[in-house]
Amino acid sequence: PKTDIVFLKVHKSASSTVMNILFRFGETHNLTFAFPTGGGNQLYYPHHFLARFVQGYSPKSPQRFNILCHHMRFLQPEVQKVVSSSAFYFSILRNPVQLMESSFVYYKGASAFSHVRSLEEFLRQPYHYYNSTRGDSHYAKNLMTFDFGFNPNGEASPERVQLMLKAIEASFDLLLISEYFDESMVLLKEALCWDLDSVVSFPLNIRDNSTKSPLPDTIVEKIKDWNRLDWEIYTGGQAVGARQVELARTCLQGRAHVAPKDIKDSSLRPLQHGGAKILGYNVKQGLDKVLERTCRRLVTPELQYSSALYKKQFVPRPP
């Protein structure tokens, strides 16, 4: 079991539940925690993390702690001063739409939210209320981006986004997704080589449903746009899903499955069995040969694919 761990506790993302898991494991195995000086709850957040924020740290005789999991704004060179070089780094992401809705309710006293009655009102003219120079402005825009140590007000250019995602990928061994919490716990259990009971938990620090309400589509899109960097981190953290969307856009006519009668290429038509209607796909016309082959492989039904592979593996000998 891994015992040297860094958890970046992203705000409003089921991170309190994960922290409880780490507390329990550390207590059971007599591990040391990198506590904030004076026994506080945060490592001088929202400042970037510094090793001197940790109780018991001294540059003259640096002590390595097993678990670092309290709220901080990530800065890896400083983190490396207080944990083992072999520490396992992980964090958790949340859909920025739900994250901002939760932040608006939870941090209603923050400067950007304190004078508006609703999230919709804030998003109508956000710069009327939002001032990036205020010390608590990070709660109102790209909160995940801020917690990962980046500038939440930076330009969301493709080049900058790629640099940000590469930096996260280089620093973290695993990114959990709060919307898939149980599946994330399975991944965490396997990555840490822990037993099942170590990752079982009860949800903590959750809101009562009476304070929640569904958001209109127009508001959802405004939240995504306002938190563009967070959205890029979130979709980048779900690389498989993001790549699937990208390939669907590239490969498919209509980007969705169609009824059997509407599949134009009969070699891509799935077997219809019993009373079920098995759907299939149409590949876009005019793709280059390499891309067309990639796309066809993605949508070829199992019977046709199996037959093609059999013929490839057992090439018939000429008479």
Side-chain angles (χ1 to χ4, degrees):
K2 289 183 171 64
T3 55
D4 295 315
I5 297 160
V6 174
F7 171 55
L8 178 60
K9 189 177 187 288
V10 172
H11 284 77
K12 314 312 298 171
S13 301
S15 56
S16 294
T17 305
V18 177
M19 195 176 190
N20 175 267
I21 289 170
L22 296 173
F23 281 166
R24 286 161 33 213
F25 186 87
E27 181 185 22
T28 301
H29 294 85
N30 295 314
L31 303 180
T32 58
F33 290 89
F35 284 108
T37 54
N41 296 317
Q42 299 186 348
L43 290 155
Y44 284 77
Y45 186 88
H47 299 287
H48 273 105
F49 175 82
L50 296 176
R52 62 183 175 84
F53 295 163
V54 174
Q55 181 78 43
Y57 170 80
S58 169
K60 296 179 181 178
S61 55
Q63 178 185 353
R64 302 293 189 214
F65 300 88
N66 295 120
I67 299 178
L68 174 61
C69 63
H70 287 73
H71 271 310
M72 64 173 167
R73 190 177 183 199
F74 190 66
L75 186 61
Q76 191 167 19
E78 288 292 314
V79 169
Q80 289 171 332
K81 295 179 182 180
V82 299
V83 296
S84 164
S85 59
S86 62
F88 181 88
Y89 287 70
F90 78 103
S91 187
I92 188 166
L93 307 177
R94 185 182 184 186
N95 187 312
V97 175
Q98 280 71 49
L99 176 60
M100 187 172 191
E101 188 275 336
S102 179
S103 295
F104 180 81
V105 174
Y106 197 84
Y107 300 113
K108 191 66 177 67
S111 59
F113 297 147
S114 60
H115 295 103
V116 291
R117 290 166 294 181
S118 67
L119 184 55
E120 185 174 1
E121 181 182 339
F122 172 82
L123 291 166
R124 271 200 295 268
Q125 44 181 351
Y127 283 108
H128 182 74
Y129 307 103
Y130 176 80
N131 183 343
S132 63
T133 64
R134 298 292 294 267
D136 59 0
S137 65
H138 56 283
Y139 292 120
K141 185 176 186 181
N142 290 314
L143 181 52
M144 287 192 294
T145 301
F146 183 88
D147 285 355
F148 273 94
F150 304 108
N151 177 9
N153 297 292
E155 181 190 3
S157 65
E159 295 78 14
R160 187 174 188 275
V161 167
Q162 282 305 308
L163 286 172
M164 188 171 65
L165 294 178
K166 285 180 179 178
I168 293 173
E169 185 178 354
S171 299
F172 289 86
D173 300 290
L174 179 65
L175 294 177
L176 309 180
I177 305 294
S178 62
E179 285 80 14
Y180 300 98
F181 191 82
D182 289 346
E183 294 89 339
S184 292
M185 289 302 100
V186 173
L187 292 177
L188 185 65
K189 169 187 172 295
E190 295 300 313
L192 296 177
C193 302
W194 288 6
D195 60 31
L196 182 61
D197 279 0
S198 294
V199 298
V200 170
S201 62
F202 295 134
L204 298 175
N205 199 27
I206 57 173
R207 284 163 57 198
D208 185 272
N209 285 333
S210 64
T211 65
K212 301 177 183 178
S213 56
L215 297 171
D217 290 344
T218 52
I219 298 300
V220 168
E221 292 308 313
K222 285 182 179 178
I223 292 175
K224 289 180 184 179
D225 188 57
W226 177 247
N227 297 278
R228 179 53 54 188
L229 292 174
D230 269 13
W231 186 254
E232 295 291 350
I233 290 177
Y234 181 71
T235 54
Q238 299 189 86
V240 173
R243 181 60 174 152
Q244 182 189 54
V245 171
E246 181 184 350
L247 283 170
R249 189 182 300 117
T250 301
C251 292
L252 305 179
Q253 287 184 5
R255 292 163 53 181
H257 40 61
V258 297
K261 64 180 179 60
D262 295 322
I263 300 173
K264 298 171 184 176
D265 187 337
S266 59
S267 68
L268 298 179
R269 192 171 296 143
L271 173 69
Q272 302 300 311
H273 188 73
K277 181 186 289 186
I278 310 301
L279 305 176
Y281 300 91
N282 284 317
V283 174
K284 278 184 180 177
Q285 301 296 309
L287 302 175
D288 65 65
K289 289 186 177 181
V290 174
L291 184 55
E292 183 186 15
R293 183 168 181 266
T294 297
C295 294
R296 288 184 64 86
R297 288 166 71 183
L298 281 164
V299 302
T300 299
E302 60 180 284
L303 296 185
Q304 291 95 311
Y305 213 149
S306 179
S307 176
L309 291 174
Y310 180 88
K311 291 175 182 176
K312 180 180 178 182
Q313 185 167 323
F314 300 103
V315 179
R317 296 180 180 179

